Amino acid sequence: MNVLVTGHLGYIGVEMVSVFRAAGFEVVGLDTGLFDECDFVSPPDDIETLSIDLRDVKPTDLAGFDAVAHLGALSNDPLGNLNSSLTYDINLHASVRLAEAAKAAGVGRFLFSSSCSLYGAGGHGFLDEESAFNPVTAYGESKVRVEQAVSKLADGSFTPVYLRNATAYGVSRRLRADIVVNSLVGHAVTTGKVLLQSDGTPWRPLVHIRDIIAAFQACLTAPVEAIWDQAFNVGKDNSENYRIREVAEMVRDVVPNCELAFAPGASGDTRDYRVDFTKIATKLPGFHAEWTLRRGIEELYEAYSSAGLTEEDWKGPRYYRLPTVRGLQERGLIDQNLRRTTPGP
Ligand SMILES: NC(=O)c1ccc[n+]([C@@H]2O[C@H](COP(=O)([O-])OP(=O)(O)OC[C@H]3O[C@@H](n4cnc5c(N)ncnc54)[C@H](O)[C@@H]3O)[C@@H](O)[C@H]2O)c1
């Protein structure tokens, strides 16, 4: 099976490529390499890459693929807030055009990396796939609108699937420090403090990147009728929803000699929701999630410690998406629209 992974040089993508190749899939990537200077410990697999901006993809670029796993995006709220029209151009319009191009090229499966953030400020019950959308950012809104537009393309030969990932954590060769678990462990390892940016009460659904990758892999091989035009919340089980304070306490228990601390001005957080993961556990053939938060924190602690991560490394731009992008702009390597001014990877 030939699979195109967009965003394959990002946090989730680099590890997805390795897992898919080990499972015997032929994998090609598509990415403009915004984070090519951001390796953690070792570089990504060296695979065939289409250095095409998502906004420029044509059906001919997609000929011959059986499936597209679409991860490429401005991947968080701060990046999305950089310029909300760019979030709509890249995350929404380019994603919908990519799906249309995939369908026109005869690609059978289109796996969209959506997000639980489309539930936004969700109240206090468990949100399942039928729950109302309530996005609070341009990023979350873009995920809703892609799902709605791509759903209209579903037919007898085109199977879109919407994988609504919880907030990810875990070790990757393109590590991100701007997501909560990775951040709390990094701060603890490098400073001895588990630094809470909010009052710690908000709920958050969490998932290891390898369980996200397992969900995508299951969608490559599942019978079409099990996944056709379906949304799945991606996470292990309902106990993997945590209050941020519980996460911080677990980090404190795993990382030796550290204590809880509150960042100046720490307050409430509008992102406060719990997600129900029953559907993916019971309805997605071949999917088995394996990671608990505790094991993920232990993995991060081991990886950061053995890499000798310092406070200076940790606070620099390398592992943060927004400062990295700003740095590329300041050096003239990408323009204000995040288009490369030099050849990509
Ligand atoms: N990490 C999470 O917690 C999480 C949670 C839910 C959903 N997601 C979704 O999963 C996907 C991957 O997330 P990630 O954490 O790996 O993000 P990431 O920022 O690490 O990677 C995104 C990749 O997309 C590429 N890209 C961005 N704009 C592009 C363009 N115009 N053309 C070509 N390539 C472009 C970047 O170079 C980068 O390699 C995203 O769609 C994100 O919204 C992530």
Side-chain angles (χ1 to χ4, degrees), residues 7 9-13 30-35 52-55 71-75 90 113-115 139 143 165-168 176 179 321:
L9 293 172
Y11 172 60
I12 300 171
L30 183 152
D31 202 300
T32 48
L34 294 175
F35 309 113
I52 304 173
D53 194 291
L54 279 167
R55 290 163 284 188
L71 308 180
L74 301 184
S75 60
I90 297 172
S113 196
S114 188
S115 166
Y139 172 82
K143 298 293 186 189
N165 305 309
T167 299
R176 280 179 59 186
I179 36 185
R321 293 309 186 230

Side-chain angles (χ1 to χ4, degrees), residues 35-326:
F35 309 113
D36 280 357
E37 297 172 1
C38 304
D39 290 350
F40 174 66
V41 180
S42 53
D45 293 12
D46 185 13
I47 63 160
E48 184 183 343
T49 295
L50 307 178
S51 297
I52 304 173
D53 194 291
L54 279 167
R55 290 163 284 188
D56 302 330
V57 176
K58 302 181 293 307
T60 46
D61 299 317
L62 304 180
F65 291 108
D66 302 298
V68 171
H70 178 38
L71 308 180
L74 301 184
S75 60
N76 65 12
D77 296 330
L79 267 180
N81 294 338
L82 187 66
N83 175 344
S84 66
S85 77
L86 276 178
T87 298
Y88 290 116
D89 284 350
I90 297 172
N91 292 14
L92 171 58
H93 302 306
S95 293
V96 175
R97 278 201 309 275
L98 179 77
E100 289 167 348
K103 183 173 174 177
V107 175
R109 296 179 186 218
F110 185 83
L111 318 182
F112 176 56
S113 196
S114 188
S115 166
C116 288
S117 68
L118 48 61
Y119 300 121
H124 289 277
F126 282 86
L127 299 160
D128 68 16
E129 289 80 354
E130 304 301 317
S131 299
F133 298 136
N134 193 10
V136 292
T137 60
Y139 172 82
E141 163 100 21
S142 74
K143 298 293 186 189
V144 172
R145 290 177 59 190
V146 173
E147 289 196 14
Q148 291 171 334
V150 173
S151 175
K152 297 198 178 99
L153 303 175
D155 68 9
S157 58
F158 188 67
T159 301
V161 193
Y162 322 105
L163 293 146
R164 296 179 183 164
N165 305 309
T167 299
Y169 60 85
V171 176
S172 160
R173 287 164 286 171
R174 288 278 163 91
L175 185 69
R176 280 179 59 186
D178 51 14
I179 36 185
V180 64
V181 179
N182 296 1
S183 166
L184 289 172
V185 181
H187 213 88
V189 169
T190 59
T191 69
K193 289 195 164 52
V194 190
L195 192 68
L196 281 158
Q197 302 289 346
S198 74
D199 63 9
T201 56
W203 287 98
R204 198 63 67 75
L206 297 168
V207 65
H208 196 286
I209 56 167
R210 276 174 196 74
D211 286 339
I212 294 179
I213 293 165
F216 275 78
Q217 186 175 340
C219 290
L220 292 177
T221 52
V224 161
E225 54 276 19
I227 58 168
W228 188 84
D229 199 26
Q230 292 296 306
F232 294 97
N233 293 336
V234 181
K236 180 170 162 40
D237 57 46
N238 291 2
S239 63
E240 293 300 305
N241 290 277
Y242 293 90
R243 286 190 192 274
I244 298 299
R245 192 179 173 106
E246 293 176 287
V247 181
E249 287 166 354
M250 212 181 276
V251 173
R252 181 197 55 199
D253 294 345
V254 170
V255 178
N257 306 320
C258 67
E259 57 181 23
L260 289 192
F262 290 87
S267 61
D269 186 332
T270 54
R271 292 166 303 167
D272 178 11
Y273 56 103
R274 280 182 288 177
V275 168
D276 186 309
F277 298 113
T278 307
K279 181 177 175 184
I280 194 164
T282 55
K283 300 271 172 61
L284 179 56
F287 174 69
H288 302 287
E290 291 190 347
W291 287 78
T292 59
L293 176 63
R294 171 94 191 193
R295 198 175 139 211
I297 290 172
E298 288 165 357
E299 180 209 34
L300 285 162
Y301 167 62
E302 295 295 331
Y304 293 170
S305 306
S306 62
L309 199 67
T310 64
E311 189 175 354
E312 196 187 349
D313 294 335
W314 188 250
K315 292 193 171 155
R318 171 180 288 250
Y319 305 120
Y320 293 86
R321 293 309 186 230
L322 180 59
T324 298
V325 163
R326 285 217 173 104

